[in-house]
Amino acid sequence: MLKKRVIVCLDVKDGRTTKGVKFQNNLDIGDPVEMAKKYYEQGVDELVFYDIMASARGERPILDLISRVASQVFIPFCVGGGIGTIEDIRATILAGAEKVSLNSQAVKNPDLISQGASVFGRQCIVLGMDVRRDQSKPSGYGTTINGGRVDTGLDALEWAKKGVALGAGEIVLNSMDADGTKEGYDVELTKLIAQNVAVPVIASGGGGTVEHMAKVLTEGEADAALIATMVHSGQFTIGSIKEQLNKKGVPVRL
């Protein structure tokens, strides 16, 4: 049975790790390089680094910071934010990332997914999705960009299928309704996408307890659970989370 992954997300703004609720009221919570090193030493499976303002501000990836984070972790490392060209993908990978997450820029230029997959391989291209409940959409969910500030008009399920058809090798599926609330993942959303695409789906947004993680990894059929607040707050370590998941029968790398 395939092991489920525990992934920590570092949302970065102006070079510092930040955390908010539904992408609002963000607080500075530390240095991303030090935090990455700590989570790596605790045994996290992967690390995701998002520059949450880059696309909205029209900025490019912070290559120096990416390189410093990459020097501290020897696990898969995914970077998102401001990656709008093949040159940006190449520079980000050369700075030490194994994968790039394309979100706002992929909506604006879907060809970037297929170009990236053809040059670097689809295992390097992650489709990032910030999704909100929207009853006007066929699936009941719509897609937003620029940190949830812009509604794209795209149905979430259709966009997920299109992104995978274009070459995305994985999806990070963030529920904007649940983001930062610590009240649980959107299991219904995660299951909907996971059952309709043939690539791994990472559940994001709302993780507050190990029970929430276990539920989305089993009922939600997610391949991985992305967490932030749970570990940033110091309430949990990666080791304690994995031990509890293991006791609940969820296969993880101990």
Side-chain angles (χ1 to χ4, degrees):
M1 193 174 184
L2 276 176
K3 297 274 199 287
K4 302 287 188 176
R5 290 171 287 154
V6 174
I7 302 176
V8 168
C9 179
L10 300 175
D11 284 331
V12 176
K13 180 181 178 184
D14 303 322
R16 300 282 293 173
T17 307
T18 181
K19 195 69 197 107
V21 177
K22 302 183 183 180
F23 288 27
Q24 303 290 316
N25 305 317
N26 286 70
L27 301 173
D28 181 326
I29 57 169
D31 174 51
V33 181
E34 290 173 7
M35 293 174 77
K37 183 171 188 276
K38 176 176 77 174
Y39 297 134
Y40 168 67
E41 288 171 350
Q42 286 183 8
V44 74
D45 295 312
E46 294 189 24
L47 201 66
V48 173
F49 171 112
Y50 286 134
D51 185 330
I52 62 170
M53 296 303 296
S55 287
R57 291 173 174 170
E59 295 171 349
R60 300 186 65 232
I62 321 170
L63 299 174
D64 168 59
L65 184 57
I66 292 163
S67 175
R68 286 193 290 129
V69 171
S71 73
Q72 299 299 321
V73 300
F74 304 94
I75 48 175
F77 173 41
C78 178
V79 172
I83 299 172
T85 65
I86 285 293
E87 289 68 38
D88 289 339
I89 297 175
R90 181 176 284 111
T92 302
I93 290 171
L94 287 173
E98 274 79 19
K99 310 177 192 179
V100 295
S101 177
L102 306 177
N103 188 327
S104 303
Q105 302 297 339
V107 170
K108 294 169 189 172
N109 175 20
D111 287 344
L112 186 60
I113 301 173
S114 47
Q115 290 166 3
S118 91
V119 174
F120 303 101
R122 63 186 301 154
Q123 79 284 351
C124 291
I125 306 300
V126 177
L127 179 65
M129 295 177 60
D130 290 325
V131 173
R132 270 202 183 95
R133 288 182 180 269
D134 181 347
Q135 293 311 314
S136 71
K137 301 289 187 293
S139 70
Y141 293 92
T143 307
T144 69
I145 58 170
N146 291 356
R149 286 181 286 277
V150 178
D151 182 359
T152 64
L154 293 168
D155 177 79
L157 179 57
E158 289 310 307
W159 175 233
K161 288 178 175 175
K162 182 177 179 183
V164 171
L166 285 168
E170 191 165 68
I171 293 175
V172 173
L173 182 65
N174 187 41
S175 165
M176 294 295 297
D177 303 301
D179 182 79
T181 63
K182 300 187 283 185
E183 291 170 2
Y185 298 87
D186 190 329
V187 174
E188 188 184 339
L189 166 66
T190 309
K191 185 175 182 177
L192 172 73
I193 303 298
Q195 288 187 338
N196 283 282
V197 296
V199 299
V201 172
I202 299 166
S204 171
T209 67
V210 177
E211 287 73 22
H212 293 155
M213 296 175 71
K215 187 171 184 180
V216 83
L217 290 167
T218 54
E219 292 176 34
E221 301 182 25
D223 294 86
L226 188 142
I227 53 174
T229 310
M230 281 177 69
V231 284
H232 297 340
S233 66
Q235 187 181 359
F236 296 92
T237 64
I238 302 299
S240 70
I241 288 169
K242 287 188 169 186
E243 282 171 24
Q244 289 182 55
L245 285 171
N246 188 53
K247 283 179 185 164
K248 293 177 185 299
V250 180
V252 289
R253 294 185 186 92
L254 292 170

